[in-house]
Amino acid sequence: MSGSPEDRHTKKRMGLYHVETAGDGRSTLKKRVFSVVVLSIAAMIAVSALILYHFYHSYRDKTYAHLNILVEKHRRDIDSFLKENLGAIRFIAKIFTFDELRDASFLENCLMNLQSHFNNVFVDLGVINARGVQIAYAGPFRLGKALYTEAPWFKKAIQSEYFISDVFMGLRGLPHFIIAVRENHNGHAWILRATIDFVAFNNLVESIQVGETGLAYIVNRGGSLQTKTRADVMKEGEILTILGEMEKGRYGQTYITTISGRGGNKYLYVAALLKDGQWLLIYRQKISDAFREYNHALRVAIAIILLGGVCVVAMGILLTSRVTRQMEKGEREREAMSAQIVESGKLAAVGELAAGIAHEINNPVAIMVEEAGWIEDLLEEEEFRESKSLKEFHRALEQIRTQGRRCKEITHKLLSFARKTDSRIHNVKLNQIIEEVVSVTAQRAKYAKVAIEKNLQEDLPCLRLSSTEMQQVILNLINNAIDAMEPDGGRIMITTRSDQNALVVEVEDNGPGIPEANLARIFEPFFTTKAVGKGTGLGLSICYGIIKKIGGDIEVESHVGKGTTFRIKIPLPVARGSATLSATSDQTSDSDRMNRGV
Amino acid sequence: MKKDDTPQERSQEALQETNSEGIRLLLVDDEAGFVEVLSKRMAKRGIRVTKAHSGTEAIQTLRKNDFDVTVLDLKMEDMEGIEVLKIFKKMAPEMPVIMLTGHGSNQAAREGMQWGAHDYLTKPCELEELVEKIFEAVRERKER
């Protein structure tokens, strides 16, 4: 309760700041925050999208380049494997004669040599005459004197100098392919044929494995598989398309495309021509696998965007709610303030009314008093002098006079509440005023057994205000304190001190104190707890009015049974006030002390 | 207060100091009851009171008669007392004017003093105080 005027003060200040923004500004603010949020998210998405787009392209280029190199390398490996083997067979066919090679043991010897030099790539060797009859054979199968006249490979091999077949089952019933070299002996063509170990060849291709789904296989132009593979083999149409594209030479040695496979999976295909364009080395990988890192980065980026978005939205909401809360607080304070304004308006209206009434009452009261005086005058005459009731008449008339004076006092107080008697502003010394008032009330205090003590700070700066008004304030406070402590008596302590940019006067008593229910109302006009006829209830409201008018504060702190303290704060004149000087000198001395390290 | 110290006697003492003839006083106030009772009481104290119930009436009365002193209410309905004062000071510059003011209208009282009023009293006032001021004003005028 004690700080209530101060609170009111703060409220007023706070309220003023928010008057303009509160109310209709709230929805606008929400919109503004919303647009800020949307804008920041949009900017974030745009930047991220741009970065991701570039990242995607460079990653794709890098991936393609890598696969190109990989496939190209293997193409070369496979081609050189074939060429090497072909070269070996051609070499044998060239340096040994038909007669030497048709000797089974010699042929066996050749095979053993080849196997030892070429890591068992060669499975068997055979010599076939122009009619397609195998006249010598070395190898694990019992193929001696086999007839190849109708075999497709033989038909092709007999027409060209050398020939590498597709993979076929042949007589042995196992997938294999052969290298055949044609030579002449006495005008008759003969063929040296070698079978390549399918497993060894297959390993060459199967070794191309990248990631989880990257694998390679070889097909011929007809689309039949030349190696073992787990993959679905490309359809003939697709192969033809690839070949068509490759023959345009647009893509160099390798060709990259994406084709949707079964189950909705998209595959990346890298193709390269082998064996003079008869075979196609195909590398296949799931797009998701090939772009695994990209997808990972994409997911991270999306996560960051989402997280950022959440942060932005959260900040937006936080900001809105905080600002809204602040504005609501402002609104509440404004309401409180306007309530206060209404209250003080009411107070002013009451004051105005009271002043009017007081003025009107003065005349009838004056007449009444004068008429009483007239009766008194008449009573002086002879005819009444002997009257038995003369004494009683005088008493009644004196009573009328006294009550008239009381009316006058009341109206005068009411009028000073409305307009001040002497509101001229001087430079006044607060302590001097207090001394004067204390001396005026000394007699009354003595009768009431009240001791008035003073604790006045010397060298207080002068105040600019009306001394009569200030006297009235101090007088009212002292009178109230004395009234409160009658008849038991007590002690009044009057303190003055300077506090920052204000002077503080405290009037403290050790009387019965003010109950909390009354504390809130004590500055209201006509509020009094004194016996009827003893108080007008205007004293404190006059004090309040005077102190507020000079921009000060008056507050009351009271504890029932312990006493009451009225505290007045009067702001010092701001410019060239001696208070400012003394405050400055205080600071200087403080800093001096600090500098000296005391 | 002595028992035989009646208002008449007191007024008599005052009169002896100033003028044995009754003081001629113009009482201007629009409050009829106040004027009536005050004039009766003043008459009992040897003052010859002429009543005026408005500013206009007061000016007309002054035009026809001379007065030693005027008691003028500053707040009247037909015209402000201060205006009456200004006119009086033109018509009879030597005549002292004592103003009656309401409480808190010290501004008007000060203005009145500037315009040459002799003194002022706050209403409602004690008759004895007013009479005192009247005698004082008349005495001062005589001395001048």
Side-chain angles (χ1 to χ4, degrees):
Chain A
M1 199 59 228
S2 64
S4 89
E6 249 174 43
D7 287 351
R8 250 183 259 169
H9 204 69
T10 0
K11 275 179 192 167
K12 193 180 256 177
R13 258 188 282 129
M14 297 285 290
L16 278 174
Y17 286 122
H18 292 288
V19 165
E20 287 159 15
T21 46
D24 61 326
R26 199 177 305 173
S27 59
T28 338
L29 186 106
K30 269 188 181 167
K31 273 184 211 155
R32 209 172 295 163
V33 169
F34 178 74
S35 56
V36 164
V37 166
V38 166
L39 266 177
S40 4
I41 290 179
M44 206 166 64
I45 287 172
V47 168
S48 313
L50 196 72
I51 291 170
L52 278 176
Y53 176 77
H54 283 286
F55 179 64
Y56 170 73
H57 274 271
S58 64
Y59 189 83
R60 194 188 62 177
D61 292 348
K62 197 197 90 177
T63 307
Y64 282 8
H66 171 72
L67 289 175
N68 268 337
I69 290 166
L70 184 83
V71 170
E72 178 62 21
K73 179 184 163 287
H74 280 86
R75 186 191 66 79
R76 254 186 252 142
D77 285 353
I78 294 163
D79 257 353
S80 65
F81 171 84
L82 293 174
K83 273 195 190 120
E84 203 179 311
N85 293 345
L86 177 64
I89 300 303
R90 284 178 82 179
F91 178 74
I92 290 168
K94 271 267 181 297
I95 60 160
F96 299 117
T97 60
F98 175 69
D99 293 323
E100 282 172 324
L101 289 171
R102 64 182 299 176
D103 175 27
S105 60
F106 187 81
L107 200 61
E108 194 80 34
N109 209 23
C110 276
L111 180 64
M112 276 168 66
N113 276 324
L114 278 171
Q115 280 175 341
S116 67
H117 281 92
F118 290 91
N119 292 328
N120 297 325
V121 163
F122 294 101
V123 177
D124 57 9
L125 281 175
V127 179
I128 294 130
N129 66 15
R131 287 188 306 277
V133 181
Q134 183 166 271
I135 49 177
Y137 174 78
F141 306 104
R142 302 188 173 278
L143 295 175
K145 308 294 176 209
L147 189 65
Y148 292 110
T149 322
E150 294 303 319
W153 69 266
F154 178 74
K155 287 178 179 170
K156 282 174 186 162
I158 201 74
Q159 277 162 27
S160 55
E161 208 177 331
Y162 55 89
F163 170 73
I164 301 171
S165 76
D166 287 346
V167 174
F168 64 104
M169 299 300 270
L171 293 173
R172 68 194 72 178
L174 286 168
H176 66 288
F177 71 95
I178 55 165
I179 296 170
V181 177
R182 192 189 66 186
E183 284 293 331
N184 262 319
H185 176 70
N186 300 332
H188 296 286
W190 62 278
I191 285 168
L192 178 61
R193 175 196 64 92
T195 306
I196 303 292
D197 179 31
F198 183 73
V199 177
F201 177 69
N202 210 43
N203 282 345
L204 272 182
V205 180
E206 273 200 330
S207 70
I208 311 176
Q209 271 210 340
V210 179
E212 281 176 11
T213 59
L215 53 85
Y217 58 87
I218 292 171
V219 291
N220 66 9
R221 282 174 165 262
S224 20
L225 206 57
Q226 303 301 306
T227 51
K228 281 201 296 184
T229 182
R230 300 177 266 128
D232 310 318
V233 182
M234 271 182 150
K235 294 184 194 91
E236 208 180 328
E238 287 165 356
I239 289 169
L240 285 175
T241 317
I242 291 172
L243 287 170
E245 291 291 328
M246 287 185 82
E247 269 152 21
K248 285 175 195 164
R250 214 181 293 169
Y251 301 93
Q253 297 284 5
T254 54
Y255 174 76
I256 296 182
T257 186
T258 52
I259 294 167
S260 298
R262 271 187 296 185
N265 289 324
K266 271 193 141 192
Y267 288 99
L268 180 72
Y269 282 92
V270 186
L273 286 174
L274 279 174
K275 211 180 119 193
D276 299 328
Q278 289 168 9
W279 288 356
L280 204 55
L281 172 64
I282 288 169
Y283 171 81
R284 191 198 75 159
Q285 193 174 10
K286 264 190 190 169
I287 294 268
S288 59
D289 188 30
F291 287 89
R292 177 182 299 273
E293 274 176 56
Y294 168 76
N295 287 334
H296 181 69
L298 189 68
R299 274 196 296 275
V300 169
I302 286 170
I304 288 171
I305 289 171
L306 285 179
L307 208 71
V310 167
C311 283
V312 167
V313 170
M315 278 308 289
I317 289 168
L318 199 75
L319 198 77
T320 331
S321 65
R322 191 174 295 171
V323 171
T324 311
R325 228 181 304 133
Q326 229 162 14
M327 280 195 328
E328 275 168 0
K329 199 175 147 207
E331 187 111 328
R332 275 202 302 278
E333 275 157 6
R334 195 175 60 125
E335 274 165 19
M337 198 184 76
S338 54
Q340 200 192 330
I341 287 169
V342 169
E343 194 63 30
S344 58
K346 245 193 257 169
L347 226 123
V350 168
E352 206 98 317
L353 187 71
I357 292 169
H359 218 97
E360 289 307 309
I361 276 175
N362 265 350
N363 276 328
V365 169
I367 295 169
M368 275 157 57
V369 171
E370 290 310 321
E371 290 287 5
W374 176 232
I375 294 170
E376 229 167 20
D377 287 354
L378 291 177
L379 283 178
E380 301 295 335
E381 287 175 7
E382 291 295 321
E383 45 183 316
F384 298 110
R385 284 207 170 180
E386 306 308 319
S387 168
K388 278 186 273 173
S389 313
L390 186 65
K391 213 176 161 192
E392 192 54 28
F393 276 129
H394 275 298
R395 193 206 56 77
L397 288 169
E398 190 52 41
Q399 180 68 352
I400 291 173
R401 227 190 257 253
T402 310
Q403 296 310 316
R405 265 199 299 275
R406 226 179 97 192
C407 283
K408 183 179 162 182
E409 260 171 49
I410 293 169
T411 55
H412 282 198
K413 273 187 182 168
L414 274 172
L415 285 164
S416 16
F417 176 65
R419 45 188 133 101
K420 308 299 165 273
T421 36
D422 185 9
S423 49
R424 276 173 300 175
I425 289 168
H426 317 272
N427 277 330
V428 292
K429 285 185 174 153
L430 190 59
N431 288 352
Q432 199 184 323
I433 289 176
I434 289 168
E435 298 280 6
E436 282 167 15
V437 175
V438 169
S439 70
V440 166
T441 50
Q443 199 62 26
R444 218 199 127 200
K446 209 170 113 186
Y447 285 130
K449 288 180 274 178
V450 172
I452 301 182
E453 291 166 27
K454 290 166 287 181
N455 178 15
L456 310 178
Q457 184 184 322
E458 282 174 26
D459 304 326
L460 285 179
C462 280
L463 287 170
R464 287 196 57 77
L465 42 82
S466 153
S467 57
T468 42
E469 285 178 0
M470 200 62 220
Q471 275 170 352
Q472 200 175 356
V473 170
I474 305 289
L475 184 68
N476 278 340
L477 293 182
I478 293 178
N479 276 339
N480 275 354
I482 294 175
D483 289 344
M485 290 187 287
E486 263 182 332
D488 301 331
R491 185 184 61 87
I492 297 175
M493 173 64 110
I494 303 173
T495 316
T496 57
R497 60 169 195 271
S498 66
D499 178 23
Q500 286 165 352
N501 291 322
L503 291 192
V504 179
V505 187
E506 281 177 0
V507 178
E508 186 186 350
D509 67 53
N510 59 355
I514 303 163
E516 197 156 315
N518 292 345
L519 263 183
R521 300 187 58 199
I522 56 166
F523 293 116
E524 281 178 23
F526 303 114
F527 178 77
T528 181
T529 54
K530 291 174 188 171
V532 176
K534 277 202 87 182
T536 55
L538 288 170
L540 282 176
S541 60
I542 290 170
C543 294
Y544 187 82
I546 290 172
I547 296 299
K548 282 289 163 186
K549 192 184 73 176
I550 59 174
D553 259 325
I554 180 165
E555 57 184 48
V556 60
E557 192 181 332
S558 189
H559 303 283
V560 174
K562 284 184 180 170
T564 306
T565 305
F566 281 89
R567 189 173 298 112
I568 299 170
K569 274 185 196 166
I570 306 160
L572 288 168
V574 182
R576 54 178 200 260
S578 48
T580 330
L581 283 172
S582 70
T584 325
S585 64
D586 279 351
Q587 276 169 7
T588 323
S589 59
D590 275 350
S591 58
D592 280 351
R593 254 174 271 147
M594 280 168 74
N595 286 343
R596 274 181 265 128
V598 181
Chain B
M1 199 186 275
K2 287 184 286 176
K3 212 201 166 206
D4 54 356
D5 194 8
T6 61
Q8 286 91 336
E9 282 160 9
R10 264 178 281 145
S11 303
Q12 225 59 49
E13 284 166 29
L15 273 172
Q16 279 161 12
E17 285 171 28
T18 52
N19 193 348
S20 52
E21 286 178 32
I23 294 171
R24 293 165 301 165
L25 180 135
L26 177 60
L27 177 60
V28 191
D29 197 325
D30 61 349
E31 195 70 37
F34 188 68
V35 172
E36 288 310 317
V37 66
L38 209 61
S39 60
K40 275 192 264 179
R41 296 194 72 193
M42 283 177 171
K44 213 159 177 62
R45 284 159 179 76
I47 301 170
R48 292 188 349 231
V49 179
T50 305
K51 297 172 275 186
H53 295 94
S54 70
T56 337
E57 195 187 331
I59 293 162
Q60 281 165 0
T61 313
L62 184 65
R63 200 173 287 157
K64 291 174 199 154
N65 308 288
D66 281 338
F67 293 99
D68 297 317
V69 63
T70 296
V71 172
L72 174 64
D73 187 11
L74 277 187
K75 202 173 160 67
M76 286 184 296
E77 277 184 20
D78 66 332
M79 62 197 291
E80 284 294 324
I82 199 85
E83 300 303 321
V84 180
L85 172 70
K86 289 176 194 171
I87 293 165
F88 273 28
K89 280 288 145 186
K90 278 183 193 150
M91 290 168 74
E94 293 299 311
M95 181 186 64
V97 177
I98 296 166
M99 297 175 293
L100 293 179
T101 68
H103 180 80
S105 45
N106 293 26
Q107 188 65 36
R110 273 197 295 275
E111 203 186 335
M113 296 302 279
Q114 280 170 4
W115 281 101
H118 174 78
D119 207 343
Y120 68 90
L121 276 174
T122 307
K123 244 169 131 182
C125 58
E126 295 285 324
L127 180 73
E128 305 309 333
E129 202 183 348
L130 179 58
V131 170
E132 196 69 36
K133 291 229 188 272
I134 290 166
F135 287 153
E136 186 190 290
V138 173
R139 201 165 50 234
E140 272 182 30
R141 190 192 167 186
K142 285 272 154 67
E143 281 165 10
R144 249 186 278 147

